[in-house]
Amino acid sequence: MNKKEKSWAEGVTAVILGTMQDGGLPHIGCRCAHCQAAEAQPQYAACLAIVDGRQTPPGVYLLDATPDIKHQLNLLADVLGPHSTRPNRLRQLDAIFLTHAHMGHIGGLPQLGPEAMAVQDLPVYAAPLLIDLLQEARVWRPMVNGLALRPLHPHQPISLAPNLTITPIPVPHRDEWGVGTFAFHVQGPGKSLLYLPDIDAWTLWAETAVLDTVDYALVDASFWSNDELGGRTAVAHPLVPDTLVRFAHIPGQLVLTHLNHTNPLLNIESVSYMQTCRAGVQIARLGQDFPL
Ligand SMILES: [Zn+2]
Ligand SMILES: [Zn+2]
Ligand SMILES: [Zn+2]
C-alpha cells in the first residue's frame, strides 16, 4: 500500500475517481486537440468514492457507475482488498449510489453482471423510478439480478456507518424518462461534501444555499462557454464563468468536475485555467482526496 492509499485507510475520505463529462476523454469520434492529446492518457468519467477506514475492512462506496468503472475500481484495490473466495479478484464494493439515468452515471453497471464482475447482492441505491427503469430493461436482467436495488428518497439520509450519512437532494437536469436526478450530500465525522455532477441551471434550483453549508462542493463544470458547442443550441449546464461569479463568496469550497472534452480547463496553459485558479477555485484531479 503506498502512502497515499494508507491515508485513505484512516478516518473517512472522499476520493475523486473521474473528472470528465459522461463520454470521458478522449470523446468517441472526436479528433479535437484535447482528445488527441488524451489518447495516451485517457481521463475517466466523473465519479467519487467514499472510503471509511474506521471499518475493517474499510467501507467503500461509489457515487455513480461510469463506463470507466473497471479502471476506477483498480484505484481502490488496496482499500477493497481481495475477494473472500477468489483471491485474484477484488472484494465487491459495499454500495453504489446513482445520481441519475444518463450513460456516464449508469453505463458501468453492465460490468457488474455475470460476464464480468458477477456481483452478488450488491446494494445499489437509486431513485425509485430509476430502479423501475433498470428492472424493466430485459437486456440488463442478468446483471440486475446480482444487485440489491434500494430506493433513495429526497432529503432522507442513509446511514452508512456511525457519523457517516449520504442524503440525496433533487436537482433539475434533462430527464428523458421522468426519473429525476440527485446530488448527494455526504456528512462525515468531521466534514461535509456535496457531489453535484449534473445540473441544468443554478437559477432553476431552489437549494443552492446548500453549497454555503458544506466544506467541499464538487460541481458541474461541463462547459466554459457556449462556443464549445460548434453552433449547436446551448446545452443545459451552467457555464463555468457564471458558476465562479455566483459562488464568488465561497471559492475555497468549490471543486469543478464533469468537464466536457471541449472545456478549455483541460489545458493548464489556458486563460480559463489561470482565471479559475486565480479565483481560488479548484479543478478536480484524479486521486484528489478530501478528509471528511
Ligand atoms: Zn453527466
Ligand atoms: Zn474532443
Ligand atoms: Zn446527465
Side-chain angles (χ1 to χ4, degrees):
M1 189 182 288
N2 67 36
K3 202 170 156 216
K4 188 73 175 174
E5 281 156 350
K6 197 169 174 196
S7 73
W8 299 351
E10 292 161 5
V12 179
T13 311
V15 184
I16 290 178
L17 298 183
T19 57
M20 298 301 299
Q21 180 267 8
D22 298 41
L25 190 75
H27 201 86
I28 184 167
C30 184
R31 304 299 290 161
C32 82
H34 292 157
C35 288
Q36 290 204 44
E39 270 174 45
Q41 201 173 6
Q43 293 188 42
Y44 307 144
C47 179
L48 189 76
I50 308 294
V51 179
D52 182 358
R54 302 169 305 169
Q55 303 178 48
T56 311
V60 185
Y61 312 93
L62 213 58
L63 276 50
D64 281 332
T66 87
D68 299 310
I69 191 169
K70 62 180 178 180
H71 306 294
Q72 291 167 322
L73 279 200
N74 282 336
L75 299 171
L76 299 170
D78 286 329
V79 285
L80 279 171
H83 189 276
S84 58
T85 57
R86 303 163 85 192
N88 283 340
R89 302 290 188 94
L90 291 178
R91 175 170 69 91
Q92 72 182 35
L93 295 155
D94 292 292
I96 299 178
F97 292 82
L98 302 176
T99 57
H100 66 297
H102 288 158
M103 180 272 277
H105 306 266
I106 61 166
L109 291 176
Q111 291 282 352
L112 304 176
E115 304 93 331
M117 199 169 188
V119 299
Q120 290 182 323
D121 292 322
L122 171 63
V124 174
Y125 291 83
L129 293 172
L130 174 51
I131 289 178
D132 290 349
L133 204 62
L134 293 171
Q135 287 174 327
E136 283 161 14
R138 288 174 60 213
V139 70
W140 281 15
R141 197 157 294 161
M143 176 273 294
V144 168
N145 286 341
L147 310 181
L149 291 164
R150 298 180 181 173
L152 291 170
H153 299 292
H155 304 292
Q156 287 188 16
I158 289 168
S159 176
L160 301 176
N163 297 316
L164 180 58
T165 58
I166 180 162
T167 307
I169 303 175
V171 292
H173 179 51
R174 181 170 61 90
D175 192 357
E176 292 84 345
W177 305 277
V179 302
T181 293
F182 287 129
F184 290 118
H185 179 278
V186 182
Q187 178 66 59
K191 291 191 171 172
S192 60
L193 176 149
L194 181 75
Y195 188 65
L196 197 172
D198 281 272
I199 187 168
D200 285 355
W202 298 119
T203 50
L204 298 175
W205 193 38
E207 303 192 57
T208 50
V210 69
L211 272 82
D212 296 339
T213 70
V214 294
D215 294 286
Y216 319 107
L218 279 66
V219 300
D220 181 343
S222 302
F223 297 97
W224 182 271
S225 110
N226 281 322
D227 297 345
E228 293 168 51
L229 297 165
R232 282 177 294 138
T233 48
V235 168
H237 285 277
L239 299 176
V240 175
D242 296 339
T243 298
L244 297 183
V245 169
R246 176 170 294 268
F247 299 107
H249 59 295
I250 50 164
Q253 288 154 241
L254 289 189
V255 184
L256 305 181
T257 190
H258 196 275
L259 274 62
N260 200 58
H261 63 113
T262 52
N263 195 316
L265 288 178
L266 291 169
N267 177 3
I268 63 166
E269 288 169 4
S270 66
V271 173
S272 310
Y273 189 93
M274 267 187 293
Q275 191 179 327
T276 303
C277 293
R278 246 187 247 128
V281 171
Q282 298 190 73
I283 299 152
R285 301 184 312 275
L286 183 69
Q288 186 176 6
D289 52 24
F290 306 89
L292 294 180

